[in-house]
Amino acid sequence: MPDGATPVLDVHNLKTVFRTRGGEVHAVNSVSFDLRPGELLGVVGESGSGKSVTMMSLIGLLPSPPAEVREGTVSFDGQDLLQTDPETLRNIRGGDIGFIFQDPMTSLNPVFTVGFQIMEPLKEHLGLRKAAARKRAAELLELVGIPDATRRLKDYPHQFSGGMRQRVMIAIALACDPKVLIADEPTTALDVTIQAQILELVKELRQKLGMAIVWITHDLGVIAGIADRVLVMYGGQVVEHAPVKGLFGNPQHPYTRMLLETVPSVRGERASRLQVIQGQPPILGAAPEACPFRDRCPQRFERCDRENPLRREIGQRHDVACFWDFNAGAPLNA
Amino acid sequence: MLDAAPAKKLVEVDNLKMHFPIQGGILRRQIGAVKAVDGVTFDIFEGETLGLVGESGCGKSTCGRAILRLYELTDGVVKIDGSNIADASTEELRRLRPAMQMVFQDPQASLNPRMTVAAIVGEPLMEHSTMSKADRLARVYELMDAVGLNRDFANRYPHEFSGGQRQRIGIARALALNPKFIVCDEPIAALDVSIQAQVVNLLEDLQEKLGLTYLFISHDLSMVRHIADRVAVMYLGKIVELAPRDALYSGPLHPYTEALLSAVPEPDPSLEAKVERIILQGDVPSPANPPKGCNFSTRCPKVMDICHEIEPEFDEVQPWRFTACHLYKETTNQTASQKAASTEAHKSAQLGEPK
Ligand SMILES: Nc1ncnc2c1ncn2[C@@H]1O[C@H](COP(=O)(O)OP(=O)(O)OP(=O)(O)O)[C@@H](O)[C@H]1O
Ligand SMILES: Nc1ncnc2c1ncn2[C@@H]1O[C@H](COP(=O)(O)OP(=O)(O)OP(=O)(O)O)[C@@H](O)[C@H]1O
Ligand SMILES: [Mg+2]
Ligand SMILES: [Mg+2]
């Protein structure tokens, strides 16, 4: 991707807090990233680190209350999505911004057929008539590898397998050829062969339509295969951001390093016991005043308890939020 | 091997079929059937983990649910610890339920949104035990610790958790009654690698301590390689290969297994360069209308004429190794040299493949 290209999506300093009976949950804390046309940004990070909440925040999908987007700007197509009126935002969602949810059962409506749910956005955003929408819906289902697509349009979500429901979600998100696709763990329920087929499809859409993609996943193998750049999240923050080669070749945050070590492989040696990152994730009760990873960090020293590290540039499009300098094997000069 | 006592079969599945009717016409009469599971046979030994892998939609979840009698079976026998579940009465089932549990694929759909985590995890204890309230809460905390959920979250509702945290609530609930047999349906798909490892280690510890038996359904072949003792590979409603783990991963017999293993994305760049991918071509058939002969014949890179005609039997072709493929049948076998030649041809065809 040309470095100079203008981003289609530019997220700056996003903060999202939930107000619950038990107090506040600071789920997303000063997250920033950008996305250029045709680019694929991978997002990885611990379960509960704020990946889904970040993406839901920026397109206004979190119910408020309890969610509150406290700070930040989200520039898309010359406007700030956080300031956009709900009607316009609804039009953008499912139109110019496609979204694949992590949990297909919550976003597919159990009382409507799958066909109806794919045809809906085609009619609404593209103004297709019923017959044309049906034809396009069947094509989309076929595109995501569902056999017998025309017949299956009449089926309800519960009649599909877990992975098929996920592919229905992908079909809906792709229906209107969005400029930006946000995919939240879109292939967790897919086997490797169908996943490979979907990844191939995504590659094609990027080349042909210049679709830009945010791809959240736990699967580092997928990231290695498709991402241009990667965001690593921990405790509601971005802790490292790097081009995919830099992330795998030269990880600079202790969490990233541990994460890369925990991945089992089908091809290398089989470990007798899987590696885990010891300790508990932080409770996000307040905006952190120290590094959120410190309790689990082998590099921890006193500064980590006093201050929350900011992201600092360490290379071409590579930044890290950590006070430790792995190259020097010592703390940064404060 | 000679003096070792033969392991006990805890789960015996014989010719299990689960078909869903397809209705059509104005009268909504049955016009066909989705043969989601179409005659599968396997055993699981006590204390063993059997991995069940295969393409999305091939019938893994249906198989797992049918084994626990969450459906009325179309045909076949399922014995758990000697009792035939397939025709057990409601009363008998209720008695057997605590011993057999399931972790569901869709955590969202299986957790009551109006109950707190403590209530969800404690529910089976309420129903099947006589524990006091205090004991129950203590047990709930113990279970939350075990799956890596913070105790402080006990009074939260499911929607207040991330996807991975919700999956762990389901696991904690399944463990509550110390079951003997657990069907784990994609239990770790929504988790990050470290928590996956934590859950897998936990399942292994429990197995060692309590002698648990698992059917572990997953499309994550590296995790299955880690946790399973034996692995069954399903394709379109049938088991095409069943083998001990190491044998299967180092030398798959069925062409589908081979393709499946070759497709796994590789995070290690030094290994990635060496991976030879087999990309399957051809139509994916529907379980409502399976092809004639072998179900895999429409996509098999090694397909022969006979495969379009006759369905291969599921046979033990080597000790402990079962497969349903004509390549391994005496009567239809090509000579060894012919076979080797066709494998070579297949390999070079692969090299010519784009990407
Ligand atoms: N409605 C809510 N009320 C309170 N806390 C919430 C709510 N929704 C999410 N959270 C909390 O916000 C944090 C971030 O959740 P999020 O769903 O973004 O995690 P994630 O990184 O997507 O994790 P996963 O990989 O498990 O999907 C979690 O700690 C979660 O418990
Ligand atoms: N209640 C139902 N009614 C009709 N068809 C069904 C029903 N449940 C499942 N099926 C069909 O049976 C087949 C097998 O589904 P199943 O959920 O067992 O697949 P799976 O192997 O678990 O797939 P995945 O990996 O995607 O979860 C699919 O074609 C599915 O559409
Ligand atoms: Mg999430
Ligand atoms: Mg399933």
Side-chain angles (χ1 to χ4, degrees):
Chain A
M1 252 5 83
D3 249 14
T6 335
V8 265
L9 185 69
D10 197 346
V11 177
H12 188 69
N13 205 21
L14 190 71
K15 276 189 193 167
T16 305
V17 173
F18 293 99
R19 296 161 173 272
T20 70
R21 282 156 295 116
E24 294 189 338
V25 178
H26 289 244
V28 175
N29 192 27
S30 298
V31 167
S32 304
F33 65 90
D34 64 10
L35 186 68
R36 288 151 201 215
E39 187 181 41
L40 195 144
L41 177 71
V43 182
V44 300
E46 187 159 72
S47 174
S49 63
K51 303 181 295 295
S52 301
V53 172
T54 299
M55 301 309 157
M56 309 259 275
S57 304
L58 60 92
I59 48 169
L61 274 174
L62 288 173
S64 174
E68 190 189 310
V69 180
R70 284 224 175 129
E71 267 177 50
T73 54
V74 178
S75 318
F76 173 77
D77 227 2
Q79 54 194 326
D80 181 357
L81 294 184
L82 298 181
Q83 308 300 331
T84 307
D85 63 284
E87 184 58 36
T88 316
L89 207 51
R90 232 191 329 272
N91 271 324
I92 292 175
R93 282 197 305 257
D96 279 343
I97 300 184
F99 202 100
I100 303 169
F101 290 90
Q102 184 168 9
D103 212 327
M105 264 329 238
T106 43
S107 38
L108 286 176
N109 192 325
V111 305
F112 293 115
T113 64
V114 160
F116 178 86
Q117 296 184 63
I118 307 177
M119 285 156 65
E120 219 22 46
L122 292 168
K123 290 193 270 186
E124 198 184 314
H125 297 285
L126 301 184
L128 293 190
R129 298 290 198 76
K130 198 164 171 190
R134 184 185 313 272
K135 186 158 165 281
R136 177 77 183 133
E139 277 169 22
L140 283 162
L141 269 195
E142 225 156 82
L143 213 55
V144 294
I146 292 187
D148 216 358
T150 310
R151 179 178 71 78
R152 303 242 40 182
L153 289 177
K154 295 188 213 97
D155 282 348
Y156 291 87
H158 77 268
Q159 295 172 301
F160 284 73
S161 78
M164 288 170 167
R165 287 197 286 259
Q166 210 165 35
R167 282 179 280 161
V168 169
M169 294 293 308
I170 296 173
I172 294 174
L174 295 177
C176 303
D177 294 336
K179 287 187 188 148
V180 171
L181 173 69
I182 298 176
D184 193 352
E185 312 233 17
T187 57
T188 45
L190 301 185
D191 61 279
V192 285
T193 52
I194 289 178
Q195 176 170 283
Q197 195 180 327
I198 299 279
L199 298 181
E200 205 47 46
L201 172 67
V202 162
K203 214 184 263 171
E204 219 179 283
L205 292 169
R206 288 168 60 194
Q207 279 159 4
K208 268 213 305 253
L209 306 174
M211 189 183 286
I213 300 171
V214 178
W215 193 278
I216 304 178
T217 181
H218 289 304
D219 191 331
L220 294 164
V222 170
I223 290 284
I226 63 166
D228 299 311
R229 284 185 292 139
V230 188
L231 283 185
V232 182
M233 290 192 65
Y234 186 87
Q237 299 178 195
V238 174
V239 293
E240 186 159 3
H241 161 235
V244 69
K245 282 216 181 72
L247 190 89
F248 284 95
N250 184 26
Q252 288 296 315
H253 195 280
Y255 172 70
T256 316
R257 293 180 159 228
M258 292 170 106
L259 187 68
L260 294 177
E261 275 165 19
T262 54
V263 185
S265 161
V266 269
R267 299 189 178 86
E269 283 286 296
R270 178 182 171 276
S272 65
R273 188 136 177 112
L274 295 172
Q275 292 238 22
V276 282
I277 301 175
Q278 297 298 336
Q280 290 265 346
I283 295 188
L284 307 163
E289 283 167 4
C291 173
F293 191 59
R294 67 187 186 284
D295 286 344
R296 304 167 83 177
C297 184
Q299 260 71 38
R300 172 184 186 170
F301 61 101
E302 52 72 40
R303 188 173 177 195
C304 313
D305 300 336
R306 283 190 277 117
E307 228 181 298
N308 189 3
L310 295 174
R311 285 164 70 180
R312 63 184 164 91
E313 192 94 18
I314 54 166
Q316 180 74 331
R317 313 211 75 189
H318 191 163
D319 59 77
V320 62
C322 178
F323 293 131
W324 187 263
D325 180 349
F326 278 100
N327 297 326
L332 276 187
N333 296 323
Chain B
M1 277 312 278
L2 278 175
D3 45 17
K8 180 179 143 198
K9 289 176 182 171
L10 185 73
V11 180
E12 297 163 82
V13 179
D14 189 16
N15 196 30
L16 173 67
K17 288 188 184 167
M18 187 64 227
H19 296 179
F20 298 104
I22 302 173
Q23 273 126 13
I26 328 165
L27 297 174
R28 316 254 347 125
R29 260 203 302 251
Q30 182 170 345
I31 54 168
V34 177
K35 295 174 182 165
V37 175
D38 199 25
V40 304
T41 300
F42 61 86
D43 301 319
I44 312 177
F45 295 97
E46 192 159 47
E48 184 187 41
T49 301
L50 180 70
L52 182 58
V53 302
E55 189 158 64
S56 166
C58 71
K60 303 178 298 295
S61 297
T62 305
C63 182
R65 287 161 171 259
I67 289 173
L68 297 185
R69 251 286 291 277
L70 299 178
Y71 294 125
E72 289 308 314
L73 310 186
T74 307
D75 196 13
V77 175
V78 177
K79 282 193 199 156
I80 296 187
D81 215 0
S83 335
N84 187 355
I85 299 284
D87 50 34
S89 67
T90 321
E91 190 42 46
E92 243 178 308
L93 271 178
R94 200 189 127 72
R95 192 173 52 76
L96 293 168
R97 283 264 175 250
M100 45 192 217
Q101 292 290 321
M102 177 137 184
V103 178
F104 289 94
Q105 182 170 12
D106 261 313
Q108 184 76 1
S110 60
L111 302 176
N112 185 336
R114 274 179 281 281
M115 284 165 72
T116 62
V117 172
I120 290 170
V121 176
E123 191 183 30
L125 297 170
M126 283 268 268
E127 224 172 280
H128 291 280
S129 81
T130 53
M131 278 185 180
S132 72
K133 207 172 159 200
D135 287 349
R136 221 164 45 224
L137 190 64
R139 175 77 179 137
V140 166
Y141 281 153
E142 199 178 281
L143 290 161
M144 289 183 72
D145 291 347
V147 297
L149 278 175
N150 203 310
R151 286 177 179 208
D152 294 351
F153 297 164
N155 290 318
R156 284 203 194 172
Y157 292 87
H159 73 267
E160 296 178 71
F161 287 87
S162 77
Q165 291 165 333
R166 276 199 289 267
Q167 186 59 281
R168 282 176 274 165
I169 302 173
I171 295 172
R173 179 178 57 185
L175 294 174
L177 295 169
N178 293 323
K180 270 190 177 160
F181 173 52
I182 307 183
V183 173
C184 305
D185 192 358
E186 305 276 4
I188 53 171
L191 309 176
D192 68 75
V193 241
S194 169
I195 291 171
Q196 280 186 357
Q198 194 182 327
V199 169
V200 165
N201 288 345
L202 166 75
L203 291 173
E204 285 180 341
D205 289 347
L206 290 167
Q207 183 163 55
E208 196 157 296
K209 230 169 32 196
L210 309 168
L212 289 185
T213 305
Y214 302 122
L215 177 64
F216 191 88
I217 301 175
S218 176
H219 55 82
D220 184 335
L221 293 159
S222 36
M223 276 300 172
V224 168
R225 177 180 180 217
H226 186 84
I227 197 172
D229 300 302
R230 287 186 303 145
V231 181
V233 182
M234 249 180 118
Y235 184 81
L236 205 71
K238 296 183 194 288
I239 293 183
V240 296
E241 181 161 1
L242 172 60
R245 172 196 63 222
D246 291 337
L248 186 107
Y249 280 81
S250 58
L253 294 180
H254 198 283
Y256 175 64
T257 315
E258 220 181 327
L260 195 65
L261 288 175
S262 85
V264 180
E266 179 56 65
D268 183 340
S270 63
L271 291 173
E272 169 67 33
K274 292 185 218 136
V275 178
E276 259 187 68
R277 296 248 143 76
I278 304 171
I279 295 175
L280 292 177
Q281 312 284 347
D283 287 339
V284 183
S286 149
N289 184 21
K292 189 171 175 223
C294 173
N295 275 351
F296 191 49
S297 61
T298 58
R299 296 164 80 197
C300 183
K302 299 183 177 171
V303 67
M304 304 176 288
D305 289 341
I306 186 175
C307 309
H308 294 298
E309 298 299 325
I310 298 167
E311 187 189 334
E313 299 272 340
F314 184 61
D315 288 329
E316 188 165 8
V317 296
Q318 287 169 22
W320 286 100
R321 301 201 63 171
F322 295 80
T323 189
C325 178
H326 287 303
L327 285 173
Y328 303 95
K329 300 289 177 278
E330 293 303 327
T331 48
T332 59
N333 235 346
Q334 304 146 289
T335 67
S337 62
Q338 267 174 329
K339 214 166 98 185
S342 81
T343 313
E344 273 318 303
H346 163 67
K347 279 232 176 78
S348 48
Q350 257 170 251
L351 288 175
E353 213 118 56
K355 269 138 262 157

